[in-house]
Amino acid sequence: MSRLAETTSRGRPHRRMRVDGWRWAGRIFLLFMLIYTAVPMIWMLITSIKSGFAATQFPPQWWPNEPTLASYKKLLDPQNSVGQDFLRFFWNSLFVSTVTTILSVIVAVPAAYAFSRFTFPGRNFLFFAVLLRNMFPAVIFLVPLFILMRAIGLVNTHGSLILTYLTFGLPLAIWLLKGFYDNIPVQLEQAARIDGATRFQAFIMIVMPLSTPGIIATAIYSFIGAWNEYIYAYTFLSKNEQLTLPVGIQRFFSENTTDFPGLMAASFMMSVPVVVLFLVLQRYFVRALTEGAVKH
């Protein structure tokens, strides 16, 4: 009995050390990922407050001797051509991303609910066929979609981008919401139906409030995807007044020189809405991913 106790007591510290080792390894990994993602943003911010000469110095000047907000003032000043273009590009990106997000939620919510609650011929085939598009890189569809948009007269319009982003964003949005609806007990809707509610009323009053985290996660995904997209915006749009931010930022490059402080300031301001949106709503996003991935 004493030997058994001694063996057990010896085994516990070893097990604890093993668990603590994995825990610290995880913490170190998370710290590394934090540094990996934060350093570019910090360097972007530091470069944006430098002068044009300080931004091109070698070896690099890690902190400017004379910080300046001239680049931000230029971008936000509608009186000069740079500010006018940047504000127009910003509005175009905000408009396209917002409309895409709204339409994506409007379409994905009933589609995901139908896949989750109804049984119909070809249901599984259709659901996996929706996800099949994500197996191919987006560039494969570039030329066919451009020909299609030109045929229906949507080239050089924001409608071409909204329609394209909606097509590419819907598969994952539907998959995400379907997993979330699968975890909402159908008995709650049945109880509402017994109390006299229609199926639509049960969906609005019972399912929609419970699926708010999933809907918010879908909206975040759709907004970020539309906000950051470059290839299709560069292909479908050529008029300066229609450009979005990812394409418009390249105007800071010229044949002979590049305005690095202005480029970094524009890039930083472009990243701010996405970062703020994710930080404010990230708990809904994480909850939707965990509850939608695990079936209770």
Side-chain angles (χ1 to χ4, degrees):
M1 189 73 177
S2 59
R3 290 182 179 180
L4 179 60
E6 182 180 356
T7 303
T8 305
S9 62
R10 290 178 180 177
R12 286 176 181 173
H14 179 69
R15 182 179 180 183
R16 188 180 300 113
M17 288 176 60
R18 184 188 307 172
V19 173
D20 290 342
W22 280 110
R23 183 179 302 170
W24 278 105
R27 292 173 180 173
I28 294 173
F29 177 75
L30 291 177
L31 179 61
F32 172 77
M33 294 302 298
L34 177 62
I35 295 174
Y36 179 78
T37 55
V39 167
M41 292 287 295
I42 296 174
W43 182 248
M44 185 189 306
L45 179 60
I46 292 175
T47 305
S48 68
I49 60 176
K50 292 180 180 180
S51 62
F53 176 76
T56 57
Q57 279 186 337
F58 186 83
Q61 190 179 65
W62 300 109
W63 182 259
N65 295 326
E66 298 180 358
T68 175
L69 297 177
S71 297
Y72 292 96
K73 293 178 181 178
K74 183 190 297 184
L75 290 175
L76 298 177
D77 184 8
Q79 302 301 322
N80 61 74
S81 59
V82 175
Q84 291 175 359
D85 287 341
F86 178 80
L87 293 175
R88 185 186 301 113
F89 300 154
F90 191 93
W91 164 252
N92 291 340
S93 289
L94 186 62
F95 173 76
V96 171
S97 302
T98 302
V99 174
T100 301
T101 301
I102 295 174
L103 292 179
S104 179
V105 171
I106 290 176
V107 176
V109 166
Y113 181 79
F115 279 119
S116 176
R117 289 293 191 262
F118 298 111
T119 301
F120 50 87
R123 171 176 172 268
N124 292 333
F125 172 79
L126 183 60
F127 179 68
F128 287 105
V130 169
L131 294 176
L132 186 64
R133 194 223 62 82
N134 285 349
M135 296 176 59
F136 302 95
V139 71
I140 292 180
F141 304 96
L142 185 61
V143 174
L145 281 176
F146 178 79
I147 296 174
L148 176 63
M149 295 302 171
R150 186 176 60 182
I152 60 180
L154 289 181
V155 174
N156 278 322
T157 66
H158 292 152
S160 62
L161 296 184
I162 294 172
L163 186 60
T164 302
Y165 298 161
L166 184 64
T167 303
F168 289 160
L170 274 178
L172 185 57
I174 293 175
W175 175 82
L176 183 65
L177 279 175
K178 179 187 178 299
F180 202 89
Y181 288 142
D182 288 342
N183 287 318
I184 298 178
V186 68
Q187 290 81 3
L188 298 177
E189 297 175 68
Q190 293 173 349
R193 297 288 301 278
I194 292 175
D195 290 338
T198 63
R199 178 178 287 275
F200 181 75
Q201 290 174 334
F203 173 73
I204 295 297
M205 294 185 296
I206 304 298
V207 178
M208 285 290 286
L210 294 176
S211 62
T212 299
I215 295 174
I216 293 177
T218 301
I220 294 174
Y221 167 77
S222 301
F223 185 89
I224 293 177
W227 182 267
N228 293 329
E229 203 282 324
Y230 173 80
I231 297 178
Y232 286 95
Y234 181 78
T235 304
F236 293 163
L237 304 178
S238 60
K239 295 181 179 179
N240 187 70
E241 60 272 13
Q242 298 290 338
L243 298 182
T244 55
L245 265 180
V247 181
I249 282 180
Q250 69 180 353
R251 298 302 174 95
F252 288 93
F253 295 94
S254 62
E255 184 178 354
N256 299 319
T257 185
T258 300
D259 181 11
F260 284 107
L263 177 64
M264 293 296 102
S267 301
F268 182 78
M269 293 184 65
M270 177 182 172
S271 62
V272 166
V274 175
V275 173
V276 172
L277 179 68
F278 188 82
L279 289 178
V280 172
L281 302 176
Q282 59 89 19
R283 69 175 184 269
Y284 298 103
F285 189 74
V286 174
R287 179 181 169 188
L289 290 177
T290 54
E291 293 191 10
V294 180
K295 187 173 181 62
H296 300 289

